[in-house]
Each structure stands twice: as structure tokens, then as C-alpha cells.
Amino acid sequence: MYQRYLTARSPLRLLEKGLHGGLGRGNLGLVLAAPGVGKTSFLVGVALDDLLRGKPVLHVALDHNVQHVRDHYDTVFEELAHSTHLENAAVVRAEIDRLRCIRAYPHGSFDAKRLRDALALEAEVGTRPELVVVDGLDVAQRTPAELEEWAKAARESDVEVWMAASAASERIAVLPADLKPLAPSFGVILTLEPQAGSVALRALKDHDNPDVAALHVALDPKTLLLVRS
């Protein structure tokens, strides 16, 4: 019951409707926001959404160690558990821990080859992930050829890959100039923008669809779940 309720409040449910099925396996997704708005929390939320539906997840950390990332998951999960009055939190958390793998790499050392290697390793020691979240990658410093290798790895491995990039401003009307050459490699590009009492989620790219739907999605600034009406 809790999993159904929580995932119903996930912004990914609206993305799946508004973005013609969401990101989907075999694609790269990007979330763009100013520092401190919640990019990492959004990535953790994407991961928790899959974990609560029984899907294996690999979290790649390039800025923090494994314990720091685990603590971040625990913080987000505890806020979710509190806001939804979860009774069996220990059982749910144990299942999340079982399905989630966190791997930390030195900053700047992770590329498409390492992604393939990490997925192969996970397949050898357990279950191959259906989702990979990469936190801390300097997306704007990658070349179009590098990002295309990432996209190729996602397609070949049939895995959904989400990453994040920083924006100079809290208001993001269009894709920043330094990210435009990389846009073809991403299936979906989203923005997070702070508003009074909430965080607005908007789409800048929806695969090859020329008309990007105005989602008008408001997220809780603590949990980044849909604001309850």
C-alpha cells in the first residue's frame, strides 16, 4: 500500500504521462538546476521510485563517499516515511538496501567505459541494474562525442541513466549555451526552479517531440514529491 501511495506522488508518474512514457531504458536523462535547489535529491528520488517498485539501481557518486550517499538516501527516506506515516519503515528500507548498489569513483574518472564495466560487474555479482544515477559528473565539460558514448552505452545495456548539471541562474527559460551541443544525446532534459513554498519541475526536451508539454508540476521542497492537493 505504501509503495503504491508513494510512487503515485512521484513526479515521474506525471512525466510518464506528459513526456510520452517518460525517459525509458536505453536513454540518458538530465536534470538541470542552480546549486542548492535539489539536483541530488531529485536523483535520489528517481532512484527511490524504481527501488520501491522492486527495480535494481546503481548509484554512481563522483563527489562523495559511499557513506555520505547512503546517509542522503536515509535522510530523504526518513522524510518520506514521516510525511506518509509509514508503519513498516524498517522492512521497506531493508528492501531498498538490497536492491541498491552505491559505488564511489574519484572525481573526473567516470566515463562511458567505466559505466559499461560497472554494469558488467553488477551483472556478475548480482542483478543487473535497470537504472543508473550519476551524481557529480561535470556534464558541461563533456564533449558531444563523449556524451554520445554514454548514450550508446545506455542503449547497448538497456539501462536508464540520469545525471545532473548546474545552471548559473535559478530561472532556466532555455537550455544554457554550454549544454546545447550535448542536447542530442539526452532523451529528456528537465529543470528544477524554486518557487514560493515549492520547486517547479519543467521539461526542456522530450525525446524527438517538437512540442514540449508545460507540466506545471509543483514539488515539495523537502521530499521532491508532488505537492498534495
Side-chain angles (χ1 to χ4, degrees):
M1 176 65 72
Y2 170 73
Q3 283 90 334
R4 289 198 298 271
Y5 171 69
L6 178 55
T7 58
R9 285 189 61 204
S10 170
L12 298 182
R13 297 292 79 74
L14 287 184
L15 293 181
E16 289 169 357
K17 296 178 181 178
L19 299 182
H20 304 82
L23 178 58
R25 288 166 65 173
N27 294 290
L28 298 185
L30 179 69
V31 59
L32 180 64
V37 174
K39 295 185 294 296
T40 294
S41 293
F42 182 84
L43 293 178
V44 168
V46 170
L48 284 172
D49 184 79
D50 266 23
L51 291 165
L52 287 165
R53 292 186 291 161
K55 298 181 179 182
V57 171
L58 171 62
H59 186 116
V60 174
L62 305 180
D63 281 337
H64 301 289
N65 60 35
V66 171
Q67 186 58 53
H68 181 95
V69 176
R70 187 177 291 118
D71 289 345
H72 197 125
Y73 271 88
D74 288 346
T75 298
V76 174
F77 180 81
E78 287 168 6
E79 183 64 40
L80 298 180
H82 175 75
S83 68
T84 56
H85 307 291
L86 177 63
E87 296 180 355
N88 58 336
V91 174
V92 176
R93 179 177 291 179
E95 180 64 7
I96 286 172
D97 290 343
R98 185 184 70 82
L99 291 169
R100 180 199 63 210
C101 178
I102 302 169
R103 294 192 180 276
Y105 294 82
H107 189 80
S109 68
F110 201 81
D111 55 15
K113 180 182 183 303
R114 288 248 176 146
L115 172 62
R116 290 187 175 94
D117 292 343
L119 290 171
L121 178 60
E122 291 304 308
E124 288 179 7
V125 301
T127 304
R128 191 178 188 92
E130 295 186 29
L131 167 71
V132 178
V133 294
V134 182
D135 192 17
L137 184 71
D138 292 326
V139 176
Q141 302 302 314
R142 305 304 98 192
T143 66
E146 286 177 294
L147 259 295
E148 188 50 41
E149 277 300 309
W150 279 82
K152 183 178 179 182
R155 289 192 298 270
E156 292 174 350
S157 302
D158 191 32
V159 66
E160 187 172 311
V161 180
W162 278 96
M163 54 186 67
S166 291
S169 171
E170 291 185 344
R171 304 298 173 220
I172 310 167
V174 296
L175 193 64
D178 57 351
L179 292 175
K180 284 184 178 179
L182 309 177
S185 296
F186 291 102
V188 169
I189 300 176
L190 306 176
T191 66
L192 298 174
E193 299 180 358
Q195 294 183 337
S198 67
V199 175
L201 177 66
R202 192 163 60 89
L204 292 183
K205 183 180 181 183
D206 172 16
H207 297 284
D208 294 326
N209 300 303
D211 297 323
V212 179
L215 296 176
H216 302 294
V217 176
L219 306 181
D220 185 291
K222 290 185 178 180
T223 64
L224 291 188
L225 289 177
L226 296 171
V227 172
R228 282 175 284 193
S229 57

